[in-house]
């Protein structure tokens, strides 16, 4: 299973979104798009129309992280718009199995996220319907927060579930991922790494993406 870096544009210059995505295109594997609705989280970013227009302007597959209420209604639309992966929060979902089925039917990878206070065991029943588990390592809503080491056992457990499923379920980590923390995430079993401020606060975001991948690979190879 490859290690994938998915830079988050949350801390990029959102007035120049397509240009900011282009800055990481050479080295990133995915582009992580944080959709926030001011209900599920106390912050507001962008929605379907912006995601849809961005998808047409980059070669990177869109990794949509929906921090929104009522994902049952909205998640499939992001898949229909051409996202490669759509993540919804289990805390907001009424019928998570159906959401996964709808996302897959529209041609995207289906993914479920858990907030720091949510037990990882909630995804166990969902495993046959999932392509990725997202373990949040900060409270969702804002970039630039500190990585919560207490979430590492959840990453270990998510990887255990992924192995047990016998299918190719990815384990993504999001929040406070940088050169100092990414090795621990990789050792714990994550294989998809979201990094926002670590990438976009750097002078050369594309270089940081490569550096992060190198550190993660080194952490996995012993
Ligand atoms: C936070 C978002 C993250 C955020 C990560 O709710 O889900 O994707 O952009 O930013 P950093 O890497 O700065 O913690
Ligand atoms: Zn995110």
């Amino acid at each position: 299973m490859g290690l994938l870096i998915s830079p988050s544009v949350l801390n990029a210059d959102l007035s120049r979104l397509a240009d900011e995505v282009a800055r990481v295109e050479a080295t990133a594997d995915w582009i992580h798009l944080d959709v926030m609705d001011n209900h599920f989280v106390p912050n507001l970013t962008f929605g379907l129309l912006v995601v849809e227009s961005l998808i047409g302007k980059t070669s990177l597959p869109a990794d949509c992280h929906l921090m929104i209420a009522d994902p049952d209604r909205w998640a499939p639309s992001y898949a229909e718009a051409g996202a490669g992966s759509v993540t919804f929060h289990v805390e907001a979902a009424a019928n998570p199995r159906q959401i996964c089925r709808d996302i897959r039917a529209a041609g995207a990878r289906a993914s479920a996220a858990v907030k720091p206070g949510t037990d990882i065991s909630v995804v166990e029943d969902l495993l046959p319907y999932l392509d990725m588990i997202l373990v949040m390592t900060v409270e969702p809503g804002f970039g630039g927060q500190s990585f919560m080491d207490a979430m590492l056992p959840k990453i270990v457990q998510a990887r255990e579930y992924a192995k047990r499923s016998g299918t190719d379920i990815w384990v993504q980590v999001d929040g406070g991922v940088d050169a100092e923390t990414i090795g621990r995430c990789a050792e714990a079993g994550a294989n998809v790494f979201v990094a926002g401020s670590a990438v976009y606060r750097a002078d050369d975001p594309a270089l940081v993406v490569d550096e992060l991948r190198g550190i993660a690979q080194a952490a996995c190879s012993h």
Side-chain angles (χ1 to χ4, degrees):
M1 181 178 306
L3 298 183
L4 305 170
I5 308 291
S6 186
S8 160
V9 296
L10 191 59
N11 274 91
D13 177 354
L14 293 176
S15 71
R16 307 168 45 248
L17 187 50
D19 293 341
E20 290 284 78
V21 173
R23 291 173 79 198
V24 296
E25 218 159 45
T27 55
D29 301 289
W30 291 74
I31 192 73
H32 185 85
L33 304 173
D34 289 298
V35 176
M36 305 186 189
D37 67 351
N38 224 2
H39 291 275
F40 182 72
V41 287
N43 199 2
L44 185 66
T45 55
F46 42 76
L48 185 59
L49 291 178
V50 171
V51 168
E52 205 165 19
S53 34
L54 186 66
I55 283 172
K57 300 228 163 46
T58 175
S59 59
L60 293 177
D63 166 27
C64 295
H65 177 193
L66 306 183
M67 285 160 276
I68 59 171
D70 202 3
D72 300 69
R73 173 171 177 193
W74 296 109
S77 308
Y78 288 83
E80 283 157 18
S85 174
V86 181
T87 300
F88 63 91
H89 269 267
V90 291
E91 302 88 355
N95 187 344
R97 289 184 184 194
Q98 191 56 46
I99 301 178
C100 292
R101 278 193 285 259
D102 291 345
I103 291 170
R104 282 178 164 176
R109 297 175 62 91
S111 163
V114 287
K115 298 207 290 187
T118 303
D119 202 292
I120 190 71
S121 62
V122 297
V123 302
E124 195 171 3
D125 288 346
L126 281 179
L127 293 174
Y129 306 90
L130 285 177
D131 299 298
M132 187 167 80
I133 302 165
L134 166 51
V135 177
M136 289 301 302
T137 42
V138 298
E139 282 300 336
F142 300 92
Q145 303 181 75
S146 298
F147 182 83
M148 297 167 76
D149 272 293
M151 297 301 117
L152 288 169
K154 283 168 80 169
I155 301 172
V156 172
Q157 184 61 56
R159 172 54 61 201
E160 195 50 45
Y161 287 148
K163 277 189 198 145
R164 203 188 299 168
S165 78
T167 60
D168 185 27
I169 296 180
W170 296 350
V171 177
Q172 184 177 67
V173 63
D174 181 8
V177 175
D178 59 18
E180 197 264 317
T181 58
I182 195 168
R184 299 204 283 288
C185 299
E187 275 174 21
N191 73 301
V192 188
F193 307 88
V194 177
S197 46
V199 169
Y200 276 102
R201 282 184 192 159
D203 291 335
D204 188 342
L207 184 65
V208 172
V209 169
D210 259 348
E211 287 170 356
L212 289 173
R213 190 187 291 98
I215 297 168
Q217 269 161 357
C220 277
S221 60
H222 56 72

